[in-house]
Amino acid sequence: MFVQVTMALLEGFGESLKVFALTLLFSIPLGLVICFGSMSRFSPLKVLSRGLVWVIRGTPLMLQLIVIFYGPGLLFGMKAMPRMTATIVAFALNYACYFSEIYRGGIESIPQGQYEAGQVLGMTKRQIFFKVVLLQVIKRITAPMGNEIITLVKDTSLARVIGIYELIWAGEQFIKKGLIWPLFYTGVFYLVFSGLLTLFFGKLEKKLDYFRG
C-alpha cells in the first residue's frame, strides 16, 4: 500500500510541480513588465498597472482561478480554456503582481546618488541600470522573492478548485479507502520541496553578501 500511495502522490506532485514551474516561467518576466508600468511617467499606464496590482492583490487567488476558468463562458459564451491553461494564467498573473511590487521596492530603494554618480562618469541610463543598480536590486529582493516562491509551492494546491489533479487531491482520494495517513504524507512532499528552496535561497543570499548597505 505504501508503494501505491507513493506512486499516486508522485503523480499529483508532478502536476503541482508543473504549475509551480510554469507560473515562475511566466510571472517573473511579467512582474518586471508590470513593475516598469507602475513606475512609468505615462500616467494612464501607471494608473492601469497599479490598478491591476491593487485588484489582484486584494482578491483571493481561488476567486481569480474560478473567474478565469468559468468567466469567459458564463459572460461571453466563449469556450472555456483548458484547465491547466486557466490555472497557469491565473497563477502567473497573481504572482506577477506580487513580484512587481517586490521589484519596485528593490529599484526604488537604491539611493538616487548612485544614479547621479553614474551620470557624472558619463554612463548611459542603460549602463547605470545594468552595471550599477541591477545586482544591488537582486540582492535586496532575494529574501522577499524567496518567500513568495515558497508560498507558491503551497498555493499550487488551490488548482484543485477547477479540477487539476494535484498533490493534496492525490492524497485525499485515499480517505475513501479508510486511510488518513496518505494525506499527512503529502506534507512530507511540501516540506522537502520547501526545505530545498529555503536552502537554495539561503546560499544565494550568502553569495550576494558583498553588496552591503
Side-chain angles (χ1 to χ4, degrees), residues 67-86:
V67 169
I68 288 174
F69 182 64
Y70 294 106
L74 295 175
L75 294 174
F76 308 109
M78 298 169 59
K79 184 179 178 181
M81 284 186 281
R83 295 178 191 276
M84 181 57 75
T85 301

Side-chain angles (χ1 to χ4, degrees), residues 25 29 61 77 138:
L25 178 65
L61 175 54
I138 292 174

Side-chain angles (χ1 to χ4, degrees), residues 100-161:
S100 74
E101 288 298 282
I102 294 173
Y103 293 148
R104 185 167 68 88
I107 293 170
E108 292 180 345
S109 70
I110 304 300
Q112 187 62 32
Q114 295 197 27
Y115 293 93
E116 295 170 353
Q119 291 173 345
V120 169
L121 293 172
M123 299 173 71
T124 64
K125 289 184 178 180
R126 182 183 179 86
Q127 289 174 324
I128 292 171
F129 181 78
F130 284 102
K131 294 184 177 181
V132 178
V133 175
L134 183 59
L135 289 178
Q136 296 182 71
V137 170
I138 292 174
K139 159 65 179 174
R140 298 182 185 205
I141 69 173
T142 297
M145 284 288 287
N147 287 336
E148 287 297 327
I149 290 172
I150 290 171
T151 298
L152 172 59
V153 173
K154 296 170 284 186
D155 276 353
T156 56
S157 62
L158 294 174
R160 63 173 299 169
V161 76

Side-chain angles (χ1 to χ4, degrees), residues 34-105:
I34 297 172
C35 167
F36 288 142
S38 67
M39 297 174 67
S40 174
R41 294 181 181 179
F42 183 55
S43 295
L45 178 59
K46 183 176 182 178
V47 170
L48 180 63
S49 298
R50 294 200 173 183
L52 174 65
V53 171
W54 176 70
V55 170
I56 295 298
R57 293 177 71 198
T59 55
L61 175 54
M62 183 181 291
L63 176 61
Q64 294 161 24
L65 275 164
I66 294 170
V67 169
I68 288 174
F69 182 64
Y70 294 106
L74 295 175
L75 294 174
F76 308 109
M78 298 169 59
K79 184 179 178 181
M81 284 186 281
R83 295 178 191 276
M84 181 57 75
T85 301
T87 299
I88 301 306
V89 169
F91 271 76
L93 183 59
N94 181 279
Y95 273 83
C97 288
Y98 281 93
F99 289 159
S100 74
E101 288 298 282
I102 294 173
Y103 293 148
R104 185 167 68 88

